[in-house]
Amino acid sequence: MPRIAFDIMLLAFYLVTANPATTGMPLHEYLGVGVFVLMVAHVVMSGEGLGGRGRWTQRVLNGVLLVALAFCVVSGIMVSGALLPSLGLYATGYYFWDPVHALSAKVLLAALLVHIVLRIPVVISVFRRHSSNSFAR
């Protein structure tokens, strides 16, 4: 159950971060780094990774999620107007990296929605098991 709570918290954190209109760009950039770290923790905690258990379709989806996340993070850092300059750094190529960031963010969102839909039965079974265990006490 704690892992499900972590996943729900990560989803909420991602949804806030994915909408820079709600946070403003500087906070969007810093939260984006935090979401990246938490998503890595999610992958490690799930124990699946790319080569883990599951059907080949699940592994393909995990690969798409990983590649989209990597492109989103790298391109986000490259177009950074707050995070990178706060470190005394500046990246060139904004007109290349900005469309990459926009596209990878959309692919990440789409793949994440598929991932969530495929995991709904697992979440339901965990909640059912948890509720039946609490009634048995």
Side-chain angles (χ1 to χ4, degrees), residues 9-61:
M9 182 268 318
L10 175 58
L11 177 61
F13 195 32
Y14 167 79
L15 291 174
V16 169
T17 304
N19 189 0
T22 60
T23 61
M25 286 308 285
L27 188 56
H28 167 76
E29 292 178 17
Y30 287 101
L31 289 175
V33 172
V35 166
F36 170 70
V37 170
L38 290 175
M39 283 190 177
V40 169
H42 168 77
V43 169
V44 170
M45 285 178 13
S46 72
E48 289 181 10
L50 284 176
R53 63 185 188 277
R55 295 177 299 213
W56 69 271
T57 53
Q58 183 65 39
R59 291 193 300 270
V60 168
L61 178 60

mmCIF file of all heavy atoms in Angstrom, residues 9-61:
data_model
loop_
_atom_site.group_PDB
_atom_site.id
_atom_site.type_symbol
_atom_site.label_atom_id
_atom_site.label_comp_id
_atom_site.label_asym_id
_atom_site.label_seq_id
_atom_site.Cartn_x
_atom_site.Cartn_y
_atom_site.Cartn_z
ATOM 1 N N MET A 9 1.118 9.973 -5.302
ATOM 2 C CA MET A 9 1.774 11.249 -5.016
ATOM 3 C C MET A 9 2.646 11.669 -6.200
ATOM 4 O O MET A 9 2.655 12.839 -6.593
ATOM 5 C CB MET A 9 2.623 11.121 -3.744
ATOM 6 C CG MET A 9 3.319 12.390 -3.303
ATOM 7 S SD MET A 9 5.013 12.686 -3.898
ATOM 8 C CE MET A 9 5.819 11.130 -3.769
ATOM 9 N N LEU A 10 3.346 10.731 -6.803
ATOM 10 C CA LEU A 10 4.183 11.027 -7.964
ATOM 11 C C LEU A 10 3.323 11.510 -9.130
ATOM 12 O O LEU A 10 3.681 12.478 -9.812
ATOM 13 C CB LEU A 10 4.988 9.790 -8.373
ATOM 14 C CG LEU A 10 5.821 9.899 -9.647
ATOM 15 C CD1 LEU A 10 6.813 11.043 -9.565
ATOM 16 C CD2 LEU A 10 6.545 8.583 -9.913
ATOM 17 N N LEU A 11 2.193 10.879 -9.359
ATOM 18 C CA LEU A 11 1.298 11.301 -10.430
ATOM 19 C C LEU A 11 0.810 12.729 -10.194
ATOM 20 O O LEU A 11 0.820 13.552 -11.121
ATOM 21 C CB LEU A 11 0.110 10.343 -10.549
ATOM 22 C CG LEU A 11 -0.941 10.723 -11.591
ATOM 23 C CD1 LEU A 11 -0.328 10.766 -12.989
ATOM 24 C CD2 LEU A 11 -2.114 9.758 -11.523
ATOM 25 N N ALA A 12 0.398 13.031 -8.972
ATOM 26 C CA ALA A 12 -0.067 14.385 -8.663
ATOM 27 C C ALA A 12 1.053 15.399 -8.867
ATOM 28 O O ALA A 12 0.837 16.482 -9.443
ATOM 29 C CB ALA A 12 -0.587 14.440 -7.227
ATOM 30 N N PHE A 13 2.241 15.066 -8.400
ATOM 31 C CA PHE A 13 3.410 15.929 -8.550
ATOM 32 C C PHE A 13 3.715 16.155 -10.030
ATOM 33 O O PHE A 13 3.986 17.283 -10.465
ATOM 34 C CB PHE A 13 4.584 15.276 -7.814
ATOM 35 C CG PHE A 13 5.764 16.156 -7.543
ATOM 36 C CD1 PHE A 13 5.645 17.509 -7.307
ATOM 37 C CD2 PHE A 13 7.037 15.601 -7.498
ATOM 38 C CE1 PHE A 13 6.750 18.310 -7.057
ATOM 39 C CE2 PHE A 13 8.154 16.384 -7.246
ATOM 40 C CZ PHE A 13 8.001 17.744 -7.025
ATOM 41 N N TYR A 14 3.650 15.093 -10.824
ATOM 42 C CA TYR A 14 3.887 15.204 -12.268
ATOM 43 C C TYR A 14 2.850 16.116 -12.919
ATOM 44 O O TYR A 14 3.195 16.964 -13.747
ATOM 45 C CB TYR A 14 3.871 13.822 -12.929
ATOM 46 C CG TYR A 14 3.790 13.915 -14.435
ATOM 47 C CD1 TYR A 14 4.921 14.194 -15.188
ATOM 48 C CD2 TYR A 14 2.574 13.769 -15.095
ATOM 49 C CE1 TYR A 14 4.848 14.313 -16.579
ATOM 50 C CE2 TYR A 14 2.494 13.888 -16.470
ATOM 51 C CZ TYR A 14 3.633 14.161 -17.198
ATOM 52 O OH TYR A 14 3.549 14.290 -18.559
ATOM 53 N N LEU A 15 1.567 15.922 -12.576
ATOM 54 C CA LEU A 15 0.507 16.710 -13.205
ATOM 55 C C LEU A 15 0.659 18.200 -12.915
ATOM 56 O O LEU A 15 0.419 19.038 -13.795
ATOM 57 C CB LEU A 15 -0.865 16.203 -12.754
ATOM 58 C CG LEU A 15 -1.245 14.822 -13.280
ATOM 59 C CD1 LEU A 15 -2.549 14.349 -12.658
ATOM 60 C CD2 LEU A 15 -1.327 14.816 -14.801
ATOM 61 N N VAL A 16 1.076 18.539 -11.711
ATOM 62 C CA VAL A 16 1.330 19.945 -11.388
ATOM 63 C C VAL A 16 2.529 20.455 -12.178
ATOM 64 O O VAL A 16 2.490 21.532 -12.771
ATOM 65 C CB VAL A 16 1.560 20.132 -9.867
ATOM 66 C CG1 VAL A 16 2.096 21.519 -9.546
ATOM 67 C CG2 VAL A 16 0.271 19.865 -9.107
ATOM 68 N N THR A 17 3.584 19.672 -12.216
ATOM 69 C CA THR A 17 4.811 20.073 -12.905
ATOM 70 C C THR A 17 4.607 20.173 -14.407
ATOM 71 O O THR A 17 5.174 21.048 -15.061
ATOM 72 C CB THR A 17 5.940 19.074 -12.592
ATOM 73 O OG1 THR A 17 6.102 19.005 -11.181
ATOM 74 C CG2 THR A 17 7.246 19.503 -13.220
ATOM 75 N N ALA A 18 3.799 19.302 -14.971
ATOM 76 C CA ALA A 18 3.602 19.256 -16.415
ATOM 77 C C ALA A 18 2.817 20.451 -16.945
ATOM 78 O O ALA A 18 2.728 20.623 -18.160
ATOM 79 C CB ALA A 18 2.893 17.956 -16.804
ATOM 80 N N ASN A 19 2.275 21.254 -16.069
ATOM 81 C CA ASN A 19 1.518 22.427 -16.484
ATOM 82 C C ASN A 19 2.204 23.692 -15.970
ATOM 83 O O ASN A 19 1.854 24.199 -14.904
ATOM 84 C CB ASN A 19 0.085 22.329 -15.973
ATOM 85 C CG ASN A 19 -0.811 23.396 -16.537
ATOM 86 O OD1 ASN A 19 -0.379 24.238 -17.325
ATOM 87 N ND2 ASN A 19 -2.067 23.360 -16.142
ATOM 88 N N PRO A 20 3.168 24.212 -16.734
ATOM 89 C CA PRO A 20 3.916 25.379 -16.243
ATOM 90 C C PRO A 20 3.063 26.626 -16.059
ATOM 91 O O PRO A 20 3.471 27.548 -15.351
ATOM 92 C CB PRO A 20 4.997 25.596 -17.304
ATOM 93 C CG PRO A 20 4.556 24.852 -18.501
ATOM 94 C CD PRO A 20 3.646 23.755 -18.029
ATOM 95 N N ALA A 21 1.871 26.649 -16.626
ATOM 96 C CA ALA A 21 0.981 27.797 -16.420
ATOM 97 C C ALA A 21 0.534 27.884 -14.964
ATOM 98 O O ALA A 21 0.245 28.971 -14.467
ATOM 99 C CB ALA A 21 -0.227 27.700 -17.348
ATOM 100 N N THR A 22 0.496 26.741 -14.275
ATOM 101 C CA THR A 22 0.076 26.754 -12.868
ATOM 102 C C THR A 22 1.225 27.083 -11.916
ATOM 103 O O THR A 22 0.984 27.577 -10.827
ATOM 104 C CB THR A 22 -0.511 25.388 -12.446
ATOM 105 O OG1 THR A 22 0.482 24.379 -12.610
ATOM 106 C CG2 THR A 22 -1.738 25.039 -13.258
ATOM 107 N N THR A 23 2.437 26.803 -12.334
ATOM 108 C CA THR A 23 3.573 26.977 -11.430
ATOM 109 C C THR A 23 4.461 28.157 -11.795
ATOM 110 O O THR A 23 5.200 28.640 -10.954
ATOM 111 C CB THR A 23 4.467 25.721 -11.433
ATOM 112 O OG1 THR A 23 4.975 25.523 -12.757
ATOM 113 C CG2 THR A 23 3.709 24.501 -10.970
ATOM 114 N N GLY A 24 4.435 28.569 -13.055
ATOM 115 C CA GLY A 24 5.424 29.531 -13.549
ATOM 116 C C GLY A 24 6.650 28.756 -14.009
ATOM 117 O O GLY A 24 6.907 27.637 -13.547
ATOM 118 N N MET A 25 7.396 29.338 -14.920
ATOM 119 C CA MET A 25 8.524 28.617 -15.508
ATOM 120 C C MET A 25 9.645 28.269 -14.529
ATOM 121 O O MET A 25 10.132 27.141 -14.550
ATOM 122 C CB MET A 25 9.090 29.389 -16.707
ATOM 123 C CG MET A 25 8.191 29.313 -17.928
ATOM 124 S SD MET A 25 7.720 27.633 -18.380
ATOM 125 C CE MET A 25 9.231 27.063 -19.105
ATOM 126 N N PRO A 26 10.085 29.184 -13.669
ATOM 127 C CA PRO A 26 11.181 28.790 -12.754
ATOM 128 C C PRO A 26 10.819 27.584 -11.883
ATOM 129 O O PRO A 26 11.587 26.626 -11.784
ATOM 130 C CB PRO A 26 11.421 30.041 -11.918
ATOM 131 C CG PRO A 26 10.965 31.166 -12.789
ATOM 132 C CD PRO A 26 9.775 30.616 -13.545
ATOM 133 N N LEU A 27 9.636 27.608 -11.284
ATOM 134 C CA LEU A 27 9.225 26.483 -10.432
ATOM 135 C C LEU A 27 9.017 25.227 -11.279
ATOM 136 O O LEU A 27 9.354 24.114 -10.836
ATOM 137 C CB LEU A 27 7.961 26.835 -9.653
ATOM 138 C CG LEU A 27 7.516 25.840 -8.589
ATOM 139 C CD1 LEU A 27 8.630 25.579 -7.571
ATOM 140 C CD2 LEU A 27 6.267 26.328 -7.885
ATOM 141 N N HIS A 28 8.498 25.381 -12.489
ATOM 142 C CA HIS A 28 8.329 24.244 -13.408
ATOM 143 C C HIS A 28 9.672 23.546 -13.643
ATOM 144 O O HIS A 28 9.741 22.314 -13.637
ATOM 145 C CB HIS A 28 7.748 24.744 -14.737
ATOM 146 C CG HIS A 28 7.812 23.773 -15.859
ATOM 147 N ND1 HIS A 28 6.966 22.689 -15.964
ATOM 148 C CD2 HIS A 28 8.626 23.714 -16.947
ATOM 149 C CE1 HIS A 28 7.254 22.008 -17.062
ATOM 150 N NE2 HIS A 28 8.264 22.610 -17.683
ATOM 151 N N GLU A 29 10.727 24.321 -13.823
ATOM 152 C CA GLU A 29 12.043 23.737 -14.079
ATOM 153 C C GLU A 29 12.573 22.982 -12.862
ATOM 154 O O GLU A 29 13.072 21.867 -12.989
ATOM 155 C CB GLU A 29 13.021 24.833 -14.498
ATOM 156 C CG GLU A 29 12.684 25.430 -15.844
ATOM 157 C CD GLU A 29 13.611 26.553 -16.243
ATOM 158 O OE1 GLU A 29 14.706 26.685 -15.643
ATOM 159 O OE2 GLU A 29 13.257 27.315 -17.170
ATOM 160 N N TYR A 30 12.467 23.593 -11.707
ATOM 161 C CA TYR A 30 12.967 22.925 -10.495
ATOM 162 C C TYR A 30 12.124 21.699 -10.145
ATOM 163 O O TYR A 30 12.667 20.651 -9.770
ATOM 164 C CB TYR A 30 13.011 23.908 -9.316
ATOM 165 C CG TYR A 30 14.126 24.913 -9.443
ATOM 166 C CD1 TYR A 30 13.888 26.209 -9.889
ATOM 167 C CD2 TYR A 30 15.434 24.564 -9.125
ATOM 168 C CE1 TYR A 30 14.914 27.132 -10.011
ATOM 169 C CE2 TYR A 30 16.475 25.476 -9.248
ATOM 170 C CZ TYR A 30 16.216 26.757 -9.691
ATOM 171 O OH TYR A 30 17.235 27.663 -9.808
ATOM 172 N N LEU A 31 10.808 21.820 -10.256
ATOM 173 C CA LEU A 31 9.939 20.667 -9.990
ATOM 174 C C LEU A 31 10.188 19.546 -10.997
ATOM 175 O O LEU A 31 10.092 18.361 -10.654
ATOM 176 C CB LEU A 31 8.466 21.080 -10.038
ATOM 177 C CG LEU A 31 7.959 21.947 -8.893
ATOM 178 C CD1 LEU A 31 6.512 22.365 -9.155
ATOM 179 C CD2 LEU A 31 8.092 21.245 -7.564
ATOM 180 N N GLY A 32 10.520 19.921 -12.239
ATOM 181 C CA GLY A 32 10.812 18.920 -13.258
ATOM 182 C C GLY A 32 11.977 18.026 -12.870
ATOM 183 O O GLY A 32 11.946 16.814 -13.077
ATOM 184 N N VAL A 33 12.995 18.630 -12.280
ATOM 185 C CA VAL A 33 14.139 17.834 -11.801
ATOM 186 C C VAL A 33 13.681 16.906 -10.678
ATOM 187 O O VAL A 33 14.049 15.731 -10.627
ATOM 188 C CB VAL A 33 15.295 18.752 -11.338
ATOM 189 C CG1 VAL A 33 16.395 17.950 -10.671
ATOM 190 C CG2 VAL A 33 15.844 19.547 -12.515
ATOM 191 N N GLY A 34 12.836 17.418 -9.788
ATOM 192 C CA GLY A 34 12.310 16.591 -8.700
ATOM 193 C C GLY A 34 11.473 15.432 -9.211
ATOM 194 O O GLY A 34 11.589 14.300 -8.730
ATOM 195 N N VAL A 35 10.629 15.688 -10.205
ATOM 196 C CA VAL A 35 9.810 14.626 -10.794
ATOM 197 C C VAL A 35 10.703 13.574 -11.447
ATOM 198 O O VAL A 35 10.445 12.372 -11.327
ATOM 199 C CB VAL A 35 8.795 15.201 -11.807
ATOM 200 C CG1 VAL A 35 8.181 14.108 -12.664
ATOM 201 C CG2 VAL A 35 7.712 15.967 -11.087
ATOM 202 N N PHE A 36 11.746 14.017 -12.120
ATOM 203 C CA PHE A 36 12.685 13.071 -12.734
ATOM 204 C C PHE A 36 13.283 12.147 -11.679
ATOM 205 O O PHE A 36 13.300 10.927 -11.851
ATOM 206 C CB PHE A 36 13.788 13.825 -13.474
ATOM 207 C CG PHE A 36 14.911 12.936 -13.934
ATOM 208 C CD1 PHE A 36 14.713 12.024 -14.950
ATOM 209 C CD2 PHE A 36 16.152 13.005 -13.336
ATOM 210 C CE1 PHE A 36 15.746 11.193 -15.375
ATOM 211 C CE2 PHE A 36 17.189 12.182 -13.747
ATOM 212 C CZ PHE A 36 16.985 11.273 -14.763
ATOM 213 N N VAL A 37 13.741 12.702 -10.574
ATOM 214 C CA VAL A 37 14.331 11.892 -9.500
ATOM 215 C C VAL A 37 13.295 10.917 -8.937
ATOM 216 O O VAL A 37 13.592 9.733 -8.717
ATOM 217 C CB VAL A 37 14.910 12.797 -8.387
ATOM 218 C CG1 VAL A 37 15.299 12.003 -7.160
ATOM 219 C CG2 VAL A 37 16.096 13.593 -8.917
ATOM 220 N N LEU A 38 12.075 11.391 -8.730
ATOM 221 C CA LEU A 38 11.027 10.518 -8.192
ATOM 222 C C LEU A 38 10.632 9.428 -9.190
ATOM 223 O O LEU A 38 10.319 8.306 -8.791
ATOM 224 C CB LEU A 38 9.809 11.341 -7.788
ATOM 225 C CG LEU A 38 10.009 12.229 -6.568
ATOM 226 C CD1 LEU A 38 8.781 13.096 -6.337
ATOM 227 C CD2 LEU A 38 10.329 11.409 -5.328
ATOM 228 N N MET A 39 10.650 9.749 -10.487
ATOM 229 C CA MET A 39 10.331 8.717 -11.488
ATOM 230 C C MET A 39 11.414 7.649 -11.530
ATOM 231 O O MET A 39 11.113 6.465 -11.706
ATOM 232 C CB MET A 39 10.122 9.345 -12.867
ATOM 233 C CG MET A 39 8.785 10.014 -13.003
ATOM 234 S SD MET A 39 8.486 10.472 -14.709
ATOM 235 C CE MET A 39 6.848 11.146 -14.600
ATOM 236 N N VAL A 40 12.652 8.051 -11.370
ATOM 237 C CA VAL A 40 13.732 7.055 -11.286
ATOM 238 C C VAL A 40 13.505 6.168 -10.063
ATOM 239 O O VAL A 40 13.634 4.942 -10.144
ATOM 240 C CB VAL A 40 15.113 7.742 -11.250
ATOM 241 C CG1 VAL A 40 16.208 6.764 -10.893
ATOM 242 C CG2 VAL A 40 15.414 8.418 -12.588
ATOM 243 N N ALA A 41 13.138 6.770 -8.938
ATOM 244 C CA ALA A 41 12.842 5.991 -7.731
ATOM 245 C C ALA A 41 11.665 5.044 -7.978
ATOM 246 O O ALA A 41 11.680 3.897 -7.521
ATOM 247 C CB ALA A 41 12.537 6.918 -6.556
ATOM 248 N N HIS A 42 10.666 5.502 -8.704
ATOM 249 C CA HIS A 42 9.509 4.656 -9.028
ATOM 250 C C HIS A 42 9.938 3.430 -9.836
ATOM 251 O O HIS A 42 9.504 2.309 -9.550
ATOM 252 C CB HIS A 42 8.482 5.476 -9.810
ATOM 253 C CG HIS A 42 7.394 4.667 -10.439
ATOM 254 N ND1 HIS A 42 6.339 4.150 -9.714
ATOM 255 C CD2 HIS A 42 7.207 4.264 -11.715
ATOM 256 C CE1 HIS A 42 5.548 3.474 -10.529
ATOM 257 N NE2 HIS A 42 6.049 3.523 -11.753
ATOM 258 N N VAL A 43 10.798 3.640 -10.833
ATOM 259 C CA VAL A 43 11.273 2.529 -11.664
ATOM 260 C C VAL A 43 12.077 1.550 -10.816
ATOM 261 O O VAL A 43 11.901 0.331 -10.919
ATOM 262 C CB VAL A 43 12.107 3.050 -12.853
ATOM 263 C CG1 VAL A 43 12.818 1.919 -13.570
ATOM 264 C CG2 VAL A 43 11.223 3.829 -13.811
ATOM 265 N N VAL A 44 12.929 2.056 -9.947
ATOM 266 C CA VAL A 44 13.742 1.186 -9.086
ATOM 267 C C VAL A 44 12.847 0.411 -8.125
ATOM 268 O O VAL A 44 13.016 -0.800 -7.939
ATOM 269 C CB VAL A 44 14.794 2.017 -8.320
ATOM 270 C CG1 VAL A 44 15.475 1.190 -7.244
ATOM 271 C CG2 VAL A 44 15.826 2.592 -9.289
ATOM 272 N N MET A 45 11.863 1.078 -7.536
ATOM 273 C CA MET A 45 10.968 0.412 -6.580
ATOM 274 C C MET A 45 10.078 -0.624 -7.259
ATOM 275 O O MET A 45 9.720 -1.626 -6.649
ATOM 276 C CB MET A 45 10.085 1.439 -5.866
ATOM 277 C CG MET A 45 10.814 2.222 -4.817
ATOM 278 S SD MET A 45 9.884 3.513 -3.946
ATOM 279 C CE MET A 45 8.207 3.252 -4.318
ATOM 280 N N SER A 46 9.723 -0.385 -8.518
ATOM 281 C CA SER A 46 8.842 -1.333 -9.192
ATOM 282 C C SER A 46 9.561 -2.635 -9.507
ATOM 283 O O SER A 46 8.931 -3.667 -9.679
ATOM 284 C CB SER A 46 8.279 -0.717 -10.480
ATOM 285 O OG SER A 46 9.275 -0.624 -11.469
ATOM 286 N N GLY A 47 10.879 -2.561 -9.608
ATOM 287 C CA GLY A 47 11.651 -3.774 -9.842
ATOM 288 C C GLY A 47 11.564 -4.284 -11.261
ATOM 289 O O GLY A 47 12.073 -5.340 -11.575
ATOM 290 N N GLU A 48 10.891 -3.539 -12.147
ATOM 291 C CA GLU A 48 10.721 -4.012 -13.513
ATOM 292 C C GLU A 48 11.810 -3.496 -14.429
ATOM 293 O O GLU A 48 12.506 -4.272 -15.057
ATOM 294 C CB GLU A 48 9.353 -3.595 -14.050
ATOM 295 C CG GLU A 48 8.217 -4.342 -13.407
ATOM 296 C CD GLU A 48 6.888 -3.927 -13.989
ATOM 297 O OE1 GLU A 48 6.856 -3.216 -15.002
ATOM 298 O OE2 GLU A 48 5.872 -4.316 -13.420
ATOM 299 N N GLY A 49 11.941 -2.197 -14.504
ATOM 300 C CA GLY A 49 12.896 -1.636 -15.440
ATOM 301 C C GLY A 49 12.542 -2.039 -16.858
ATOM 302 O O GLY A 49 11.409 -2.369 -17.157
ATOM 303 N N LEU A 50 13.495 -2.054 -17.728
ATOM 304 C CA LEU A 50 13.228 -2.420 -19.118
ATOM 305 C C LEU A 50 13.216 -3.923 -19.328
ATOM 306 O O LEU A 50 12.451 -4.438 -20.121
ATOM 307 C CB LEU A 50 14.276 -1.792 -20.041
ATOM 308 C CG LEU A 50 14.108 -0.317 -20.309
ATOM 309 C CD1 LEU A 50 15.268 0.181 -21.152
ATOM 310 C CD2 LEU A 50 12.799 -0.030 -20.995
ATOM 311 N N GLY A 51 14.065 -4.632 -18.620
ATOM 312 C CA GLY A 51 14.186 -6.063 -18.873
ATOM 313 C C GLY A 51 13.488 -6.920 -17.849
ATOM 314 O O GLY A 51 13.699 -8.113 -17.807
ATOM 315 N N GLY A 52 12.634 -6.329 -17.052
ATOM 316 C CA GLY A 52 12.005 -7.070 -15.967
ATOM 317 C C GLY A 52 10.870 -7.957 -16.439
ATOM 318 O O GLY A 52 10.713 -8.255 -17.613
ATOM 319 N N ARG A 53 10.070 -8.360 -15.482
ATOM 320 C CA ARG A 53 8.959 -9.248 -15.789
ATOM 321 C C ARG A 53 7.916 -8.504 -16.624
ATOM 322 O O ARG A 53 7.925 -7.297 -16.729
ATOM 323 C CB ARG A 53 8.349 -9.769 -14.494
ATOM 324 C CG ARG A 53 7.743 -8.685 -13.632
ATOM 325 C CD ARG A 53 7.275 -9.263 -12.313
ATOM 326 N NE ARG A 53 6.527 -8.277 -11.573
ATOM 327 C CZ ARG A 53 7.060 -7.341 -10.811
ATOM 328 N NH1 ARG A 53 8.355 -7.254 -10.673
ATOM 329 N NH2 ARG A 53 6.295 -6.474 -10.161
ATOM 330 N N GLY A 54 7.017 -9.240 -17.184
ATOM 331 C CA GLY A 54 5.950 -8.633 -17.966
ATOM 332 C C GLY A 54 6.069 -8.987 -19.428
ATOM 333 O O GLY A 54 7.063 -9.533 -19.885
ATOM 334 N N ARG A 55 5.021 -8.688 -20.146
ATOM 335 C CA ARG A 55 4.980 -8.978 -21.576
ATOM 336 C C ARG A 55 5.883 -8.025 -22.336
ATOM 337 O O ARG A 55 6.298 -6.986 -21.830
ATOM 338 C CB ARG A 55 3.555 -8.856 -22.067
ATOM 339 C CG ARG A 55 2.637 -9.906 -21.446
ATOM 340 C CD ARG A 55 1.256 -9.670 -21.926
ATOM 341 N NE ARG A 55 0.868 -8.322 -21.462
ATOM 342 C CZ ARG A 55 -0.345 -7.983 -21.119
ATOM 343 N NH1 ARG A 55 -1.304 -8.852 -21.199
ATOM 344 N NH2 ARG A 55 -0.619 -6.763 -20.705
ATOM 345 N N TRP A 56 6.150 -8.378 -23.578
ATOM 346 C CA TRP A 56 7.015 -7.532 -24.393
ATOM 347 C C TRP A 56 6.389 -6.167 -24.613
ATOM 348 O O TRP A 56 7.090 -5.170 -24.728
ATOM 349 C CB TRP A 56 7.350 -8.218 -25.713
ATOM 350 C CG TRP A 56 6.189 -8.346 -26.655
ATOM 351 C CD1 TRP A 56 5.294 -9.368 -26.723
ATOM 352 C CD2 TRP A 56 5.799 -7.395 -27.648
ATOM 353 N NE1 TRP A 56 4.366 -9.120 -27.698
ATOM 354 C CE2 TRP A 56 4.656 -7.904 -28.288
ATOM 355 C CE3 TRP A 56 6.295 -6.166 -28.052
ATOM 356 C CZ2 TRP A 56 3.997 -7.230 -29.303
ATOM 357 C CZ3 TRP A 56 5.644 -5.487 -29.078
ATOM 358 C CH2 TRP A 56 4.518 -6.024 -29.685
ATOM 359 N N THR A 57 5.044 -6.093 -24.637
ATOM 360 C CA THR A 57 4.386 -4.798 -24.815
ATOM 361 C C THR A 57 4.657 -3.880 -23.629
ATOM 362 O O THR A 57 4.842 -2.675 -23.798
ATOM 363 C CB THR A 57 2.871 -4.968 -25.011
ATOM 364 O OG1 THR A 57 2.345 -5.748 -23.929
ATOM 365 C CG2 THR A 57 2.564 -5.650 -26.327
ATOM 366 N N GLN A 58 4.689 -4.467 -22.433
ATOM 367 C CA GLN A 58 5.001 -3.674 -21.237
ATOM 368 C C GLN A 58 6.437 -3.170 -21.298
ATOM 369 O O GLN A 58 6.724 -2.036 -20.939
ATOM 370 C CB GLN A 58 4.786 -4.513 -19.965
ATOM 371 C CG GLN A 58 5.017 -3.737 -18.684
ATOM 372 C CD GLN A 58 4.010 -2.625 -18.483
ATOM 373 O OE1 GLN A 58 2.834 -2.783 -18.770
ATOM 374 N NE2 GLN A 58 4.476 -1.496 -17.991
ATOM 375 N N ARG A 59 7.340 -4.010 -21.780
ATOM 376 C CA ARG A 59 8.741 -3.587 -21.896
ATOM 377 C C ARG A 59 8.896 -2.492 -22.944
ATOM 378 O O ARG A 59 9.677 -1.566 -22.768
ATOM 379 C CB ARG A 59 9.629 -4.787 -22.187
ATOM 380 C CG ARG A 59 9.729 -5.741 -20.990
ATOM 381 C CD ARG A 59 10.834 -6.761 -21.140
ATOM 382 N NE ARG A 59 10.691 -7.622 -22.294
ATOM 383 C CZ ARG A 59 10.052 -8.783 -22.314
ATOM 384 N NH1 ARG A 59 9.477 -9.228 -21.221
ATOM 385 N NH2 ARG A 59 9.985 -9.508 -23.412
ATOM 386 N N VAL A 60 8.133 -2.587 -24.049
ATOM 387 C CA VAL A 60 8.171 -1.535 -25.072
ATOM 388 C C VAL A 60 7.640 -0.224 -24.488
ATOM 389 O O VAL A 60 8.235 0.840 -24.687
ATOM 390 C CB VAL A 60 7.370 -1.949 -26.328
ATOM 391 C CG1 VAL A 60 7.166 -0.769 -27.267
ATOM 392 C CG2 VAL A 60 8.071 -3.091 -27.043
ATOM 393 N N LEU A 61 6.533 -0.306 -23.766
ATOM 394 C CA LEU A 61 5.977 0.893 -23.128
ATOM 395 C C LEU A 61 6.976 1.492 -22.152
ATOM 396 O O LEU A 61 7.170 2.716 -22.122
ATOM 397 C CB LEU A 61 4.662 0.567 -22.421
ATOM 398 C CG LEU A 61 4.010 1.731 -21.675
ATOM 399 C CD1 LEU A 61 3.677 2.881 -22.629
ATOM 400 C CD2 LEU A 61 2.760 1.257 -20.948
#
